[in-house]
Amino acid sequence: MSGKTLGIVGFGRIGQEMARRARFGFGMKIIVHNRSRVDASVLAEFGAVQTGSDPDDLLPECDFVSLHCPGGTGNRHLIDARRLDLMKPGAFLINTARGEVVDEAALVEALIFDAIGGAALDVFDGEPNINPALLQCDGVVLLPHLGSATREAREAMGFRVLDNLGDFFAGRDPRDRVIHGAYRIYLARETTCPPTPQEIRHELFHYRAGTRAPQPQRTGRAGQPAGHVRKGGGCLRRRRHFPRS
C-alpha cells in the first residue's frame, strides 16, 4: 500500500479518518471526491486533491477506492458496471458505506473476469441477505457489517449517546442531531410525557411549516388532568418553559 493512490468517495468525518491513516500510516497519495467543495485547509492536512463533481475523474487514477458516501436513492448503484470499468485492472474497491452504493451484480462480473484486483465489503445491498454470487467469488473479503465492532469503538459510541443526552437536557443543540431543530419540538411541548408517533409527525409538519402545532389535551393514567404530577415515578405532566427558537 505504501506509495499507492487511495481514492475516497465521500470526505466527511469517516472519510477524513481513512485519509489520515492512509496518508500518515502508509504514505499514500489521497484523491477525494465529495458532493461539495472541501475546505482547502482540510485537503492540505492530508495532502489530498479533490476531483470535480463526478467520481469518474477519480476512479482511473486510484489503486484503492474506498466508499464513505451516504446511501439512499441518489447514490444507489453509484458504482455500477460503467464505473467499475473505469478502475485500474488491479485496483481494489472497499465499501464500508452502504450496500446499495455498489451494483453487486456488476461487481460480481468484474471480479469473475478480473476487471479489478478485488473488493472488500462490510455492507451489502439487501442485508442481512448476501448475494450468493458474491460468496462464490475469489478476491473478495466479506464482513457482516461489523467494521466498527471493537470494544473501544462501542464504548465510545455509548458515551457519545450520553454526551448527546447531556446536551439535550441542558438545553443545548445535541452534537449529533439527526433532524435540525427536532429536539426543540420536545422542549416546546407543554408536557414532559414522551410524544406519540402521531404527535411527532404532526409537530414536525408544523415545525417545518413555521406554524405552531396545537397541544393535545391528554390525561394521566387514572384520568388525572394534564397538570397533575403523579408521585412514585411515571409520566410527569408538569409544564415546561423553554423559548421556541
Side-chain angles (χ1 to χ4, degrees), residues 59 62-65 87-93 115-119:
L59 296 172
C62 299
D63 301 296
F64 298 85
V65 176
M87 294 177 62
K88 290 181 178 181
F92 292 86
L93 177 68
I116 63 173

Side-chain angles (χ1 to χ4, degrees), residues 80-103:
D80 55 11
R82 183 184 67 81
R83 287 190 167 129
L84 286 167
D85 285 341
L86 292 176
M87 294 177 62
K88 290 181 178 181
F92 292 86
L93 177 68
I94 304 164
N95 186 15
T96 58
R98 290 292 182 266
E100 66 264 21
V101 174
V102 176
D103 181 346

Side-chain angles (χ1 to χ4, degrees), residues 26-67:
F26 298 96
M28 300 182 78
K29 177 183 176 182
I30 309 297
I31 302 179
V32 172
H33 167 75
N34 199 63
R35 58 185 175 184
S36 59
R37 293 302 302 175
V38 178
D39 188 270
S41 63
V42 175
L43 293 172
E45 181 180 352
F46 307 104
V49 175
Q50 184 171 5
T51 62
S53 59
D54 196 311
D56 290 7
D57 301 328
L58 171 150
L59 296 172
E61 306 296 325
C62 299
D63 301 296
F64 298 85
V65 176
S66 188
L67 306 178

Side-chain angles (χ1 to χ4, degrees), residues 166-185:
D167 290 338
F168 177 87
F169 288 109
R172 299 187 298 265
D173 280 0
R175 59 200 69 187
D176 297 312
R177 68 182 182 221
V178 177
I179 301 176
H180 179 77
Y183 83 106
R184 295 188 182 277
I185 293 174

Side-chain angles (χ1 to χ4, degrees), residues 152-204:
E152 294 80 3
R154 296 306 165 96
E155 287 181 350
M157 291 165 66
F159 285 116
R160 189 77 177 187
V161 172
L162 294 177
D163 290 339
N164 278 272
L165 288 171
D167 290 338
F168 177 87
F169 288 109
R172 299 187 298 265
D173 280 0
R175 59 200 69 187
D176 297 312
R177 68 182 182 221
V178 177
I179 301 176
H180 179 77
Y183 83 106
R184 295 188 182 277
I185 293 174
Y186 174 82
L187 295 180
R189 288 174 56 82
E190 296 178 355
T191 172
T192 57
C193 285
T196 65
Q198 293 81 3
E199 287 176 330
I200 292 173
R201 289 193 294 269
H202 186 59
E203 295 199 48
L204 277 173

